[in-house]
Amino acid sequence: MVINIKEEKPKYGWYVRDLMLYFFLLGFTGLILFISGFYIRNIIGIILGVIGFLIILIFLWPAIGLSTMQIALINKINTIDVIGKDFVINKLENPLILDIGCGTGRAAIKIAKELKNGGHLYGIDIYEKMAISGNSLYTVQNNAKIEGVEEKTTFLYGSATKIPFEDDYFDMINISSVLHEIHNSEGKEKALKEIYRVLKKGGYAYISEWNRNSWQLISTLGIFCFVFKNKNYWQILIEKTGFKTISYQNQSGFGLFIVKK
Ligand SMILES: C[S@@+](CC[C@H](N)C(=O)[O-])C[C@H]1O[C@@H](n2cnc3c(N)ncnc32)[C@H](O)[C@@H]1O
């Protein structure tokens, strides 16, 4: 008898899955109203058509954009792909790395896989479900186990605004697509101050955030791109904290700031 044991695969989750679903449902309602507007040849038809068109613009466009981004981009955009595998981490002996808002470990696990000179990667998150389905401490720990980096990683509950580590602890910190989820500028500033505090002097932070002025974001999210801040906003906030910007790279709507303490 042949027993077919299925290999367990890591689950990195669908980003903004629920949001996409609601937007599609609303968007299709708009489409129905818009089409109905053509058949009802009076003032009500015109009103329905206009309302339908607006709903399409507001919901269907971002729903399609988010889905194509999920399929085409999200899994490809990654700090580690952009910075090159040995930019900082493998120039150091036993580097200590922190990934803030690690989620299911999409970036954290890739970084951990690149550790060649010893070292350890810590990941913290508050594991909110809105952006990623299946987001939990268990998921990221299990993903690390499946990917063979369990020994080199530790994942914990922890907030960017109150990082549970001592001052000057890490050689490198990665925070990818997290700051925009922290409410108001004070909260974002508090998180950046915390990153500065726990980073060693001379250490690098990789901060990636959406840039609403990029055509990629506008074409993907439609009017919702205004929910996000632009590159200037982030640069001012980052440098106000005391970081020195080493470089900035545009990655399909994300802006990656490489900064130094
Ligand atoms: C869009 S996901 C990005 C996840 C991961 N960094 C990546 O690139 O795949 C945002 C993550 O930030 C987390 N998050 C939101 N606010 C946070 C906070 N104050 N502290 C830590 N994590 C936070 C969410 O739980 C979620 O896992």
Side-chain angles (χ1 to χ4, degrees):
M1 193 174 75
V2 181
I3 302 170
N4 195 0
I5 301 169
K6 249 198 182 166
E7 214 178 289
E8 200 184 354
K9 292 213 169 93
K11 295 185 183 77
Y12 290 110
W14 273 77
Y15 281 65
V16 291
R17 183 191 59 178
D18 295 347
L19 205 62
M20 284 193 291
L21 197 69
Y22 298 137
F23 275 31
F24 264 121
L25 286 176
L26 281 162
F28 280 123
T29 314
L31 197 63
I32 292 166
L33 289 180
F34 185 69
I35 294 167
S36 316
F38 271 109
Y39 291 96
I40 305 169
R41 297 204 166 263
N42 56 29
I43 185 73
I44 292 174
I46 295 173
I47 293 170
L48 285 182
V50 171
I51 293 174
F53 178 73
L54 289 176
I55 295 177
I56 290 172
L57 206 65
I58 296 171
F59 296 107
L60 199 56
W61 177 0
I64 295 169
L66 283 170
S67 316
T68 48
M69 184 171 68
Q70 168 73 38
I71 294 160
L73 294 176
I74 278 283
N75 292 320
K76 291 190 189 130
I77 299 171
N78 200 298
T79 304
I80 205 81
D81 297 334
V82 175
I83 61 178
K85 294 186 173 177
D86 56 2
F87 181 66
V88 170
I89 45 177
N90 289 323
K91 292 194 176 116
L92 301 167
E93 285 289 323
N94 293 313
L96 291 179
I97 296 159
L98 175 67
D99 186 38
I100 301 171
C102 58
T104 48
R106 192 181 62 97
I109 289 171
K110 267 200 175 184
I111 297 171
K113 279 183 173 175
E114 295 307 326
L115 288 174
K116 302 285 189 290
N117 295 328
H120 200 84
L121 180 135
Y122 292 86
I124 59 166
D125 201 298
I126 53 172
Y127 302 103
E128 281 192 347
K129 301 273 192 291
M130 202 199 98
I132 321 171
S133 57
N135 196 8
S136 73
L137 181 58
Y138 170 79
T139 308
V140 67
Q141 286 172 335
N142 198 45
N143 285 346
K145 198 168 159 188
I146 297 165
E147 298 273 25
V149 293
E150 197 184 8
E151 303 285 305
K152 307 186 211 179
T153 55
T154 303
F155 294 99
L156 312 157
Y157 275 97
S159 173
T161 53
K162 201 167 187 268
I163 300 175
F165 288 95
E166 62 198 60
D167 298 359
D168 307 308
Y169 194 72
F170 293 101
D171 297 286
M172 174 192 158
I173 296 178
N174 182 56
I175 177 161
S176 159
S177 187
V178 178
L179 286 173
H180 70 267
E181 293 199 7
I182 300 171
H183 302 301
N184 66 51
S185 293
E186 288 78 53
K188 295 173 179 44
E189 207 176 325
K190 201 170 169 198
L192 284 165
K193 281 188 180 148
E194 277 292 90
I195 296 172
Y196 193 86
R197 179 183 69 76
V198 297
L199 190 64
K200 283 182 188 163
K201 183 137 184 55
Y204 288 86
Y206 295 77
I207 302 169
S208 27
E209 260 314 323
W210 300 93
N211 171 18
R212 78 161 171 224
N213 286 358
S214 61
W215 66 265
Q216 290 100 334
L217 200 66
I218 296 167
S219 60
T220 304
L221 295 184
I223 65 162
F224 285 98
C225 70
F226 287 102
V227 169
F228 297 96
K229 309 285 185 192
N230 61 24
K231 182 201 161 193
N232 247 5
Y233 171 90
W234 292 116
Q235 183 141 17
I236 290 168
L237 211 59
I238 288 168
E239 292 181 358
K240 196 173 153 193
T241 313
F243 286 115
K244 188 171 178 287
T245 306
I246 304 297
S247 76
Y248 174 82
Q249 298 168 24
N250 176 29
Q251 328 164 26
S252 309
F254 271 124
L256 168 66
F257 291 90
I258 302 180
V259 300
K260 196 173 177 185
K261 177 172 173 182

